[in-house]
Amino acid sequence: MPVLTTALRKTRETLEIYWVLARIMVPITIAAEILSRIGVVEAVAPAFAPVMAVVGLPPELGLAWLSGMLVGIWGAIPLVFTLVPVSSLSVADVTIFSALLLFAHGLPIEQKIIQKAGPGMIATTLLRIAGGVLYAFILHRLFAATGWLSAPVNPTLIPMSAAQDWPGFFVGLLEMMITMLVILLVLSWGLEILRATGILKLMMKALAPLLRLAGIREEAGHFTAVGLFLGISYGGGLLIREARSGAVSPRQVFLSCVFMGFAHSIIEDTLVVMALGADMSSVLFGRLAFAVAATALIAALLRSLSDETFFTWAFRATKTIPEGR
């Protein structure tokens, strides 16, 4: 009976989240389709051309990335194959775009959570965007040099092409929303199983050595691990409480938030972009390796900064959070 009760509760919570996402996604998708059909996307796309050119992507995908940064991953996904036909994209293209999306999405909400823990919003937001562009550029150069992942993409999520007529578009939108609901339910139940069996706790414990390589000490390790697996809303939320209590030093709070910005919700988000056709090794293992290396470099930089510089540019000093820990 407790198992059934838990399953029903998780299903209800997932349906509530799905309803919120649907109210965002459906209008955005329809609006993007209208803009695409009347030529606005084609006119605006050149504005995104410089950044997209750096990572080897069609400029039209810049609008999907912008939507993802403002709304979240689920705000960008329906636009990918609306703006660019699936037949013209390779696995490498989708993997590179997924990298951009995984690093920087839902910034208004997630960065507000991070800001409440102390780190400056501008500094951590710029780090997330710059980190995503740099990692996407590395992937682009690697794929271009080796020809790896050059095969046409074959997404699990039903692609929506701008070439459809309106009835076909709405059928595709309905199919995509149904597929999204199934994915959300499976992810929700799967995470609950990992929690209930203790596997998630073991995964977090096994992550400790990796976090130490990134310069994150034990005092912030648990919260960083929570954010890595469950997302910034969970990890950042716990970190806010500890940061305000003074249990975690400001520099460790900053490093934890930087790492979570580079790599968070790696189970759910990774499976979502894999459904788009992204390569798992690049969006999971490669992303983790980049997050560790980049955070370690930032940790080394922080050690060279004076307290005055750190609190001026990177952290909002508070009376309840002592420095020097």
Side-chain angles (χ1 to χ4, degrees):
M1 185 64 72
V3 175
L4 178 60
T5 302
T6 300
L8 290 174
R9 176 176 57 81
K10 295 303 297 183
T11 300
R12 185 180 67 254
E13 291 174 356
T14 302
L15 290 174
E16 290 173 354
I17 293 172
Y18 174 77
W19 175 237
V20 172
L21 291 173
R23 285 186 293 174
I24 296 172
M25 289 177 62
V26 172
I28 287 178
T29 306
I30 295 173
E33 182 69 12
I34 293 172
L35 293 175
S36 177
R37 290 176 185 254
I38 64 177
V40 173
V41 170
E42 185 178 353
V44 173
F48 296 93
V51 176
M52 294 297 104
V54 166
V55 297
L57 294 177
E60 292 83 359
L61 286 181
L63 290 177
W65 184 39
L66 177 62
S67 178
M69 284 194 288
L70 295 177
V71 179
I73 285 182
W74 288 106
I77 283 177
L79 303 186
V80 176
F81 301 121
T82 301
L83 298 171
V84 181
V86 64
S87 59
S88 66
L89 293 173
S90 65
V91 177
D93 292 331
V94 173
T95 300
I96 292 169
F97 176 77
S98 296
L100 288 173
L101 195 58
L102 289 170
F103 275 77
H105 59 261
L107 295 179
I109 296 175
E110 292 186 350
Q111 290 305 110
K112 190 65 177 177
I113 293 172
I114 285 177
Q115 183 186 41
K116 286 184 178 296
M121 177 179 283
I122 294 177
T124 52
T125 300
L126 290 177
L127 281 172
R128 285 183 68 175
I129 295 173
V133 172
L134 177 58
Y135 183 57
F137 173 75
I138 292 171
L139 290 180
H140 166 54
R141 299 309 302 171
L142 174 64
F143 297 157
T146 62
W148 187 32
L149 305 182
S150 58
V153 69
N154 183 26
T156 302
L157 273 177
I158 301 169
M160 298 175 61
S161 172
Q164 301 176 95
D165 55 17
W166 278 111
F169 167 81
F170 282 109
V171 169
L173 178 60
L174 177 61
E175 291 175 343
M176 187 189 66
M177 296 303 295
I178 292 173
T179 304
M180 188 188 83
L181 175 59
V182 172
I183 291 175
L184 283 174
L185 287 171
V186 171
L187 287 172
S188 176
W189 295 334
L191 284 173
E192 190 61 34
I193 291 172
L194 290 176
R195 282 197 194 95
T197 57
I199 295 176
L200 188 61
K201 188 174 182 180
L202 291 175
M203 291 167 66
M204 291 181 181
K205 188 174 182 180
L207 189 69
L210 199 65
L211 294 179
R212 283 196 293 271
L213 285 176
I216 297 172
R217 300 197 298 261
E218 185 176 354
E219 61 184 274
H222 174 69
F223 311 107
T224 310
V226 170
L228 179 67
F229 287 110
L230 301 180
I232 286 177
S233 296
Y234 291 94
L238 291 173
L239 195 54
I240 288 170
R241 183 184 64 192
E242 295 300 311
R244 288 179 174 175
S245 71
V248 184
S249 70
R251 292 174 193 259
Q252 282 295 299
V253 170
F254 185 83
L255 286 178
S256 175
C257 290
V258 167
F259 186 88
M260 283 192 289
F262 290 156
H264 60 274
S265 191
I266 60 169
I267 298 175
E268 179 178 351
D269 290 355
T270 299
L271 290 175
V272 169
V273 296
M274 283 176 60
L276 279 180
D279 171 64
M280 184 183 76
S281 60
S282 301
V283 297
L284 177 56
F285 303 117
R287 180 188 177 201
L288 272 176
F290 179 90
V292 170
T295 306
L297 287 174
I298 294 171
L301 176 62
L302 285 185
R303 286 193 290 270
S304 68
L305 293 182
S306 66
D307 288 352
E308 181 181 0
T309 302
F310 174 71
F311 284 110
T312 298
W313 296 103
F315 203 93
R316 296 182 298 108
T318 65
K319 295 179 180 179
T320 57
I321 306 177
E323 179 54 11
R325 291 176 58 94

